[in-house]
Amino acid sequence: MTLFQPSTSLPPVGRRPPGQQLPAPLPGELTRTHLLAELAQGRRLAALIAPAGYGKTTLLGQVARAAQTQGQAVAWLTLTPEEADPTRLAGELSRACAALPGFQPLAFQTAQQAGGPPGPLAAALARDLNDLPHNALLVVDQTEVLGAAGAAWLGTLLGHLGEGHRAAVAGFDLGPLRLGRVLAQGGLKLLDSEKLAFTPQEAAQFCAGHPGLKAPADRWPLGLALSAAGAELGSALTPQAYQEELLQALPPHLDELLDAAAVLPVWTTADFRALGLEPPGDWACTLLGAGLLLRAHGDGTYWPHDLLLSALRARLDRRPQARPVLSCRGAARAEAEGRPLEALRLYLQAGDTPRALDLARRSAPALEEGWAFDVLRQMLDSLPYAALGPDLQVKLCLCLLHVGEVVRAEALLRELRDLPEVRAETLFLLSVVASRRGDSARQLALAEDGLRAAPTDRVRTRLMRVQASALNVLGRTAEALPIAHEALALAQDTAQHGERAHLLALLNALQAFTRTPLAEREAVIQAGVRAYHRAGLAPACTRLHASLAYLYRLHGRLQDAWTELRVAQALEDQGPTPDGCLVLEAQGDLHRAGGDDRAAQTAYEAALHRAEAQGITYLQDTLAYKLAELALHAGHTAAAHTWLTQARSWQYEQPGRWTGGGAQFYEGLFAALRGDPAAATRHLRAALSDPRLGLEEQVRAQAWLLHLTPAHQPLPAEGVGALKELLTFLGSAAALHPDLSALAPLQARMPGLFPARGNPEAPTPPAPAGARRLPLQVTLLGGGVRVSVDGTPLRLAHSKPAELLAWLALHGPATREQLVDALVGGGTEQRHVEYVKVSVRRLRAALSEAPGVAFNPLEFRAGQYLLSEAFEVQVDAVTVRAARHSHDPAVLTRALDAYTGPLLPRLDSAWADDARLELEEDLIACALRLAELVREDDPALATRAYRRVLDLDPLQEEAAQALVELTEEGGRAGEARYLERVCQRRLEEGLGA
């Protein structure tokens, strides 16, 4: 077994050994037979979601032990609040997986050493697991302790686990794990509190072992257990009171041990010693024997239930002489081990609020820079708001803004804005609020006020950024550029890596209303993406990828646009950001370009909901206008009127926003559609006069103005020139695809200006239609399996995945049973099925590593495995097979050229033997026909074809005779006689003469 040693880039880990052993069965544990049967039905992920006390951990233990009994490797991890940090979660999961035989964390260590955000670690750890030579079960308990980022990270890992692996998780809430895709694909088995509750039969079985006990109506497992304990003790007890009573029954010599236990989330002898206490040798046996809610993990580690910890803390509160000292010791140890949340709680438990505040102040900058806003907020919410002081109160407002609680944040910021020590930072955050509402004038005023408030370099950089952003959307880009460059230099000089990335993103925004060539925009965006990754802020790239998708769509590169959005969505899946609404809007735009208005409507509505949740109100009217347009196209007049009214309402509520030009465009569009050309012309001209009008709206507005020109009047040369100039710059009329039907008369007046109706280049995810398919070249002749993707060689490290690829490339989609027959000789044993699953997983992982593969390369649909349709599969053996019935000399020659040797000569499988012989017969038929067709015109090619026939079948007398004749006809009589003797000898040897 190879053990993984975490690198120094991870927070210190000292409480767990690599890999956690499975929990031992509880005394009197009830086997959940029917639930075990449900979980054994082949779903790759089981999720146990219910409040505490429903036996989730108990059932997970039964599942894990059953898997071990069947010979399956199991990795177990019980989470703590510290794993809210995805980086720490990644390290702990890797340590747990080290217990799996053959686990080699090569990809994980490479990704870890590369530094950067924790997101890529999920895919890397999944690759290492997918490379195992066996299938494994991954169990993760207590997922309720994860924050949004940690839960999303775990969901990403679970989604990447390959064929054959199983996973089981337990927690209070499924939502943060983002397992919707797994659920939609039928891969998730969900057990909620209703299913986890004891059945009437189980309750009766439990009560049968406890005379006098009556099952409560809700059949809560822990409630039954506590009721049973209460009945046995002759009293009605609450859960915590029951634990407190058990604690009171322990001998006095354990008092100091119990005091120390109250400040430890996990109990080991080493943990107690670290607090200056030497525990009795039998401490664990004594506590377990007392009936406390304590889980043994078989490696000297014991995990107390929250009820037990609450009882212990209540007990410690009644012992004032012990509480402060032990709590401070525990806090100092938690802080040294990189567990600030636990340390803060213990400082507060010790009554040492000043040290808790000091810890929060010291931790806040790093958590803020790393976008760990959920962890930072948990720390700040643990402290009284009044005790935070202005500096931490501002940090709390920042956390509130990040999760979309804009109203509360703004109210608190207004109370803080006049305090000199935080005025600059408060004004910065208020300018962010104004930015989200599209109020650029207020944003600029607040930023300039902040710059006059003597900010630190760090806050000054941020204020200059929002100042430049506001100037840009106010149409004063020339003033914004020098400010942005000055801020960029300040960020560089003061090592503000995250802020430098934000400023590079701003440079892209400064070009939003200009006709900057696409190559220049791409360069700026890619520089920003690289800067975000170097700063460890990959989620912040969401806006840049959405921006690039918008540009690619306008330039007609729709497949590239979908690729960018897939990247953006993957980042959102790791942890939602305020820019998620922009991704959804861009998805809606692309669906609309592809002709899928229903999908576009769903995306726009989701974007609107996300924008409202994040307080980004400047998008609301634009999204409502787009929904109104879709409703009109679908003939839903009432819905269109509702959305239009809503859009106007939002526009009127906050006039002067930079989206006003877009609103004018849509008002002109709707006026044109309802037959009011005068109003339409007025609105469209107003839109074009706004320097902040987007390129897409500029194209559409120019086209509609030309369309509204009366038929008896010539088209205005200025308008025609403006439209042609825009379309020439973009190199595409993709922006006009929603309007092509309505603009048919204009197309007739300007032939050749627009493309034909429809959009053959528009892809629809996940299998883009009409887009360039990625070449997958598979070479099977003359050696082993050789693979390249779009010309880049790809190494397959294992033989069975290579054989699996060969089978699928030659035969196409196959069921699991077909693959078992071909790859492992058939049979119904489960180990054969598992072996095929491992091969599938490894092949999928290997193909996913290839450049350009942003899709599932090996799909499972309708009960069959198949290579993705996004590939253009090119197989040399298929070239030969396809030519067998051809009479085209060019096709037959290509087959002859493709055959460089036998099919997989070193593969000893029945299917390969059969395919090898069939292919030789195919080539012989091709060569004979080719020789016959070209014998008169190209005797050299015919000679070559006959020689290839005789190489494969020396007994082909017809080919031998023809080869001799061709040689004689070429004037080489001596060579012909020699060939005749060789062919005769081969024939005699073959016939045994």
Side-chain angles (χ1 to χ4, degrees):
M1 183 189 309
T2 300
L3 298 182
F4 165 61
Q5 300 298 328
S7 77
T8 56
S9 64
L10 286 175
V13 178
R15 66 185 187 282
R16 295 188 184 123
Q20 295 181 18
Q21 296 187 25
L22 307 186
L26 292 171
E29 181 174 296
L30 188 66
T31 302
R32 311 300 301 275
T33 307
H34 72 290
L35 295 180
L36 291 172
E38 282 194 49
L39 295 177
Q41 293 176 354
R43 303 287 180 89
R44 64 188 181 94
L45 176 60
L48 282 54
I49 306 300
Y54 277 87
K56 300 186 296 295
T57 301
T58 301
L59 180 56
L60 285 180
Q62 294 178 4
V63 170
R65 292 191 294 273
Q68 279 193 337
T69 301
Q70 297 167 3
Q72 189 171 29
V74 180
W76 180 290
L77 178 64
T78 300
L79 300 174
T80 73
E82 302 310 319
E83 277 78 58
D85 174 21
T87 302
R88 188 176 185 88
L89 173 61
E92 295 293 357
L93 267 171
S94 179
R95 288 164 60 84
C97 292
L100 298 171
F103 178 72
Q104 299 285 340
L106 302 178
F108 183 84
Q109 289 177 332
T110 300
Q112 191 182 61
Q113 291 165 3
L121 294 176
L125 181 56
R127 283 199 297 275
D128 290 329
L129 288 169
N130 292 340
D131 203 38
L132 284 171
H134 56 79
N135 294 320
L137 170 64
L138 176 62
V139 182
V140 183
D141 195 12
Q142 295 186 8
T143 61
E144 65 269 9
V145 304
L146 296 176
W153 189 96
L154 178 59
T156 300
L157 171 68
L158 297 175
H160 278 80
L161 284 183
E163 187 79 14
H165 285 328
R166 291 190 299 148
V169 297
F172 293 162
D173 185 11
L174 179 64
L177 293 177
R178 295 177 173 267
L179 298 174
R181 183 177 301 176
V182 179
L183 179 63
Q185 294 172 347
L188 176 64
K189 180 65 178 180
L190 175 62
L191 298 183
D192 56 12
S193 57
E194 182 177 348
K195 290 190 175 182
L196 287 168
F198 280 159
T199 65
Q201 295 77 17
E202 288 175 327
Q205 181 183 349
F206 185 90
C207 292
H210 301 82
L213 177 65
K214 294 183 179 180
D218 62 0
R219 302 187 305 280
W220 180 35
L222 180 58
L224 269 174
L226 293 174
S227 299
E232 291 170 2
L233 294 174
S235 61
L237 298 172
T238 65
Q240 184 169 326
Y242 173 53
Q243 295 297 298
E244 291 174 355
E245 184 171 328
L246 293 177
L247 290 171
Q248 291 171 8
L250 291 169
H253 75 273
L254 291 177
D255 282 350
E256 290 186 357
L257 178 78
L258 296 176
D259 290 340
V263 302
L264 292 173
V266 180
W267 300 349
T268 68
T269 298
D271 288 321
F272 287 122
R273 286 173 179 165
L275 293 182
L277 177 69
E278 184 61 40
D282 62 347
W283 69 270
C285 293
T286 303
L287 295 181
L288 287 170
L292 299 173
L293 291 176
L294 186 65
R295 173 71 68 178
H297 279 265
D299 58 356
T301 302
Y302 298 87
W303 295 76
H305 191 278
D306 286 344
L307 289 172
L308 175 55
L309 281 177
S310 296
L312 284 167
R313 290 165 184 166
R315 178 184 179 279
L316 187 61
D317 287 340
R318 296 190 293 271
R319 296 169 59 83
Q321 74 282 4
R323 184 183 67 184
V325 174
L326 280 171
S327 296
C328 285
R329 286 180 187 173
R333 187 163 188 264
E335 188 176 350
E337 293 179 350
R339 295 184 281 124
L341 280 174
E342 180 67 14
L344 185 104
R345 185 193 65 76
L346 289 169
Y347 280 134
L348 292 175
Q349 182 174 300
D352 196 341
T353 302
R355 291 183 72 177
L357 285 167
D358 178 65
L359 173 63
R361 285 191 174 90
R362 286 185 284 107
S363 303
L367 293 172
E368 180 184 348
E369 290 297 326
W371 275 35
F373 296 109
D374 49 353
V375 177
L376 178 57
R377 184 175 180 184
Q378 287 182 63
M379 294 184 70
L380 298 179
D381 281 343
S382 300
L383 295 159
Y385 179 75
L388 291 177
D391 57 338
L392 289 181
Q393 288 172 348
V394 170
K395 300 303 180 191
L396 178 59
C397 293
L398 174 62
C399 295
L400 294 174
L401 283 179
H402 192 76
V403 296
E405 296 184 34
V406 178
V407 175
R408 182 186 171 197
E410 186 177 22
L412 294 175
L413 288 168
R414 285 175 176 168
E415 295 176 359
L416 296 169
R417 67 179 293 171
D418 293 328
L419 299 178
E421 63 269 36
V422 294
R423 177 170 171 77
E425 190 168 4
T426 301
L427 290 169
F428 162 69
L429 293 178
L430 285 170
S431 71
V432 171
V433 173
S435 173
R436 291 193 180 187
R437 291 175 174 161
D439 191 347
S440 302
R442 177 170 171 75
Q443 175 186 347
L444 178 61
L446 289 166
E448 291 176 342
D449 282 351
L451 288 168
R452 289 190 289 267
T456 63
D457 284 344
R458 186 163 161 273
V459 178
R460 176 178 294 278
T461 310
R462 297 180 174 189
L463 286 164
M464 293 172 72
R465 170 164 55 84
V466 295
Q467 179 191 24
S469 176
L471 286 169
N472 180 48
V473 295
L474 288 170
R476 297 159 62 182
T477 305
E479 298 175 57
L481 272 171
I483 294 173
H485 285 294
E486 182 183 351
L488 192 59
L490 180 58
Q492 183 74 29
D493 293 342
T494 53
Q496 299 180 58
H497 304 299
E499 193 59 34
R500 179 176 178 274
H502 292 323
L503 285 161
L504 287 171
L506 173 62
L507 290 180
N508 169 60
L510 294 179
Q511 299 171 340
F513 307 116
T514 65
R515 297 185 190 178
T516 305
L518 179 60
E520 293 183 27
R521 296 289 300 273
E522 284 179 308
V524 173
I525 290 174
Q526 295 300 343
V529 169
R530 290 192 297 271
Y532 276 126
H533 280 279
R534 284 195 295 269
L537 298 176
C541 296
T542 299
R543 176 184 289 264
L544 290 176
H545 288 296
S547 176
L548 198 51
Y550 167 82
L551 290 173
Y552 283 152
R553 177 173 61 84
L554 291 189
H555 286 269
R557 294 168 54 179
L558 302 186
Q559 178 58 56
D560 290 335
W562 274 118
T563 299
E564 291 300 319
L565 284 186
R566 290 189 184 100
V567 175
Q569 189 58 56
L571 293 173
E572 281 293 299
D573 290 342
Q574 294 177 27
T577 71
D579 294 329
C581 53
L582 300 177
V583 178
L584 290 165
E585 182 189 19
Q587 287 178 355
D589 292 340
L590 270 172
H591 282 304
R592 184 81 192 280
D596 191 346
D597 283 5
R598 184 180 295 274
Q601 176 184 344
T602 301
Y604 290 147
E605 288 175 349
L608 186 57
H609 177 75
R610 180 75 66 87
E612 290 172 349
Q614 291 289 347
I616 304 178
T617 57
Y618 74 84
L619 272 182
Q620 291 174 322
D621 57 336
T622 299
L623 290 166
Y625 276 128
K626 290 183 177 182
L627 286 164
E629 184 184 1
L630 284 176
L632 275 179
H633 277 252
H636 301 152
T637 307
H641 178 73
T642 299
W643 282 117
L644 186 56
T645 301
Q646 183 64 75
R648 289 168 175 167
S649 174
W650 280 324
Q651 184 66 215
Y652 295 154
E653 285 175 8
Q654 294 181 317
R657 294 188 295 180
W658 65 268
T659 56
Q664 289 282 5
F665 161 73
Y666 280 106
E667 291 293 344
L669 173 66
F670 296 137
L673 291 174
R674 68 172 179 263
D676 186 349
T681 301
R682 185 174 64 255
H683 284 298
L684 291 173
R685 286 177 176 166
L688 288 170
S689 67
D690 191 326
R692 301 165 297 179
L693 187 66
L695 285 172
E696 180 172 17
E697 288 76 19
Q698 290 180 40
V699 174
R700 297 183 69 188
Q702 292 285 6
W704 275 98
L705 277 176
L706 291 174
H707 172 73
L708 293 171
T709 303
H712 63 277
Q713 295 180 8
L715 293 174
E718 182 180 357
V720 172
L723 179 58
K724 286 185 176 180
E725 184 180 347
L726 279 166
L727 294 178
T728 300
F729 168 73
L730 294 173
S732 166
L736 290 174
H737 286 147
D739 306 305
L740 290 181
S741 297
L743 297 181
L746 177 63
Q747 185 175 0
R749 299 177 70 180
M750 300 176 64
L753 180 62
F754 304 150
R757 190 175 187 277
N759 186 13
E761 299 178 1
T764 56
R772 174 181 177 267
R773 298 166 67 199
L774 200 63
L776 173 64
Q777 298 100 356
V778 184
T779 303
L780 305 178
L781 299 174
V785 180
R786 286 153 288 166
V787 189
S788 63
V789 176
D790 203 12
T792 301
L794 184 66
R795 179 175 176 268
L796 297 179
H798 305 280
S799 60
K800 277 300 174 183
E803 183 181 351
L804 171 63
L805 176 60
W807 166 271
L808 294 173
L810 280 174
H811 298 91
T815 65
R816 186 170 292 154
E817 291 74 18
Q818 288 174 312
L819 295 178
V820 170
D821 287 341
L823 272 61
V824 293
T828 58
E829 295 183 40
Q830 185 62 27
R831 62 187 179 90
H832 292 158
V833 176
E834 297 300 317
Y835 189 48
V836 168
K837 288 181 178 179
V838 171
S839 300
V840 168
R841 185 176 69 241
R842 284 179 161 176
L843 177 57
R844 183 181 290 132
L847 292 174
S848 296
E849 291 294 313
V853 179
F855 48 85
N856 181 2
L858 180 51
E859 301 177 10
F860 185 72
R861 293 205 313 253
Q864 291 185 313
Y865 293 101
L866 67 157
L867 295 169
S868 172
E869 295 173 357
F871 282 131
E872 179 188 348
V873 183
Q874 302 167 359
V875 189
D876 52 356
V878 172
T879 302
V880 177
R881 178 193 295 169
R884 173 158 190 164
H885 301 291
S886 175
H887 290 267
D888 184 345
V891 174
L892 296 169
T893 302
R894 282 197 293 272
L896 198 67
D897 293 338
Y899 193 90
T900 57
L903 175 80
L904 302 177
R906 294 187 293 274
L907 180 59
D908 185 19
S909 295
W911 78 267
D913 292 339
D914 294 341
R916 193 178 300 124
L917 292 174
E918 290 176 4
L919 203 66
E920 289 178 358
E921 293 175 0
D922 289 341
L923 186 68
I924 289 171
C926 290
L928 288 174
R929 186 174 303 110
L930 175 63
E932 181 181 352
L933 290 170
V934 302
R935 182 168 177 172
E936 297 297 330
D937 300 326
D938 193 345
L941 180 56
T943 299
R944 178 184 162 210
Y946 284 133
R947 286 185 182 277
R948 173 59 81 184
V949 171
L950 292 172
D951 287 342
L952 296 174
D953 185 3
L955 303 184
Q956 273 280 355
E957 188 173 2
E958 178 185 349
Q961 184 59 40
L963 181 59
V964 171
E965 292 174 357
L966 276 172
T967 306
E968 286 181 342
E969 292 170 2
R972 303 189 304 276
E975 183 182 346
R977 287 193 295 273
Y978 171 76
L979 283 173
E980 188 173 18
R981 289 195 298 271
V982 170
C983 293
Q984 184 63 33
R985 185 168 64 251
R986 287 180 178 176
L987 183 61
E988 291 172 353
E989 291 173 353
L991 295 174

